């Protein structure tokens, strides 16, 4: 089922996602719907708060990047915890399905060590770097109530003020289904 994506301005995007229990009602279906929703909107990652669920769950499929190191990285992260970030920060232009038509350079460290549970609730500790780490860091931020625009300078953020206001009011053209905070 394709779910509407929560737009910038909705308070749920600022909440920390709670831990997911193994018997979480309808979890398998929810994960399936998240993949469907992500593909429909041409995203490479999607976090549960973006579909109005304040839980520690995100998914990704980085295959559009054609990254040699991770050619078909399609994954579910439950109760994720980044244990370590390392390396010299590098700049990369990020976007977000909740903040359409805005892209900004964000600095993040290139390598991470993350502990998470997969869709079978097996505990995994894994390292990622480059683009894969970048997508994970972006989605992990969502679980903590952080958005990529929080990483840009106040000056740049001021320049985006009107665009952001328009997104929260639903005054944008977007090709996928969204849910706007002020139109409820
Ligand atoms: Ni995002």
């Amino acid at each position: 089922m394709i779910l509407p994506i929560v737009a910038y301005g909705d308070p749920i995007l600022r909440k920390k996602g709670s831990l997911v229990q193994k018997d979480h009602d309808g979890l398998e279906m929810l994960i399936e719907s998240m993949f469907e929703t992500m593909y429909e909107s041409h995203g490479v990652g999607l976090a549960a708060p973006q579909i109005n669920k304040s839980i520690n769950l995100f998914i990704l499929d980085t295959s559009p990047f054609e990254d040699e190191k991770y050619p078909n990285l399609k994954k579910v992260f439950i109760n994720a915890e980044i244990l370590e970030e390392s390396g010299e920060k590098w700049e990369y232009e990020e976007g977000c399905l909740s903040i359409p038509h805005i892209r900004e350079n964000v600095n993040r460290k290139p390598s991470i060590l993350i502990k998470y549970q997969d869709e079978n609730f097996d505990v995994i500790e894994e390292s990622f770097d480059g683009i894969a780490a970048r997508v994970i860091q972006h989605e992990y931020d969502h679980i903590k109530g952080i958005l990529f625009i929080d990483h840009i300078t106040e000056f740049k953020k001021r320049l985006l003020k009107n665009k952001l206001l328009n997104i929260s009011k639903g005054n944008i053209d977007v090709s996928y289904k969204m849910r706007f905070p002020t139109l409820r």
Side-chain angles (χ1 to χ4, degrees):
M1 187 170 53
I2 291 167
L3 306 164
I5 292 176
V6 171
Y8 174 83
D10 193 309
I12 199 159
L13 294 177
R14 293 310 192 174
K15 278 174 73 178
K16 282 189 184 165
S18 57
L19 290 179
V20 184
Q21 304 300 322
K22 201 171 180 176
D23 61 355
H24 187 99
D25 200 29
L27 185 63
E28 203 177 321
M29 187 76 99
L30 179 70
I31 291 169
E32 202 183 299
S33 295
M34 283 176 71
F35 274 108
E36 223 181 308
T37 302
M38 182 180 74
Y39 292 133
E40 174 72 14
S41 51
H42 305 287
V44 290
L46 186 68
Q50 294 182 276
I51 47 105
N52 207 32
K53 298 263 185 259
S54 192
I55 54 174
N56 190 329
L57 161 68
F58 62 87
I59 60 163
L60 55 82
D61 183 344
T62 60
S63 38
F65 289 115
E66 295 179 4
D67 187 358
E68 276 174 27
K69 191 160 180 193
Y70 311 98
N72 291 301
L73 191 68
K74 178 181 173 181
K75 266 183 178 302
V76 177
F77 292 80
I78 298 169
N79 300 330
E81 191 190 342
I82 291 185
L83 303 174
E84 212 180 288
E85 291 182 299
S86 57
E88 279 291 299
K89 282 187 175 178
W90 67 299
E91 198 174 61
Y92 188 80
E93 199 180 59
E94 296 186 24
C96 181
L97 293 174
S98 294
I99 314 173
H101 313 311
I102 292 181
R103 302 192 66 84
E104 290 290 339
N105 282 328
V106 175
N107 282 300
R108 297 185 195 267
K109 291 183 176 177
S111 305
I112 61 164
L113 175 65
I114 188 170
K115 186 174 165 184
Y116 64 98
Q117 285 166 285
D118 66 7
E119 58 273 43
N120 303 312
F121 281 82
D122 289 330
V123 178
I124 299 171
E125 223 178 275
E126 209 172 358
S127 298
F128 295 92
D129 50 51
I131 285 291
R134 172 69 60 154
V135 176
I136 292 168
Q137 287 162 321
H138 177 115
E139 299 311 324
Y140 183 78
D141 268 359
H142 275 300
I143 298 304
K144 303 286 178 198
I146 301 167
L147 301 171
F148 81 95
I149 50 168
D150 299 342
H151 295 290
I152 66 175
T153 62
E154 272 309 310
F155 175 72
K156 277 192 178 169
K157 207 167 167 178
R158 265 204 302 279
L159 296 179
L160 294 176
K161 206 178 156 204
N162 284 329
K163 276 189 180 176
L164 290 170
L165 193 63
N166 279 325
I167 292 171
S168 68
K169 285 179 174 172
N171 295 333
I172 45 159
D173 276 323
V174 64
S175 60
Y176 46 89
K177 200 158 81 173
M178 289 195 89
R179 166 194 169 107
F180 299 99
T182 49
L183 300 180
R184 261 186 229 158

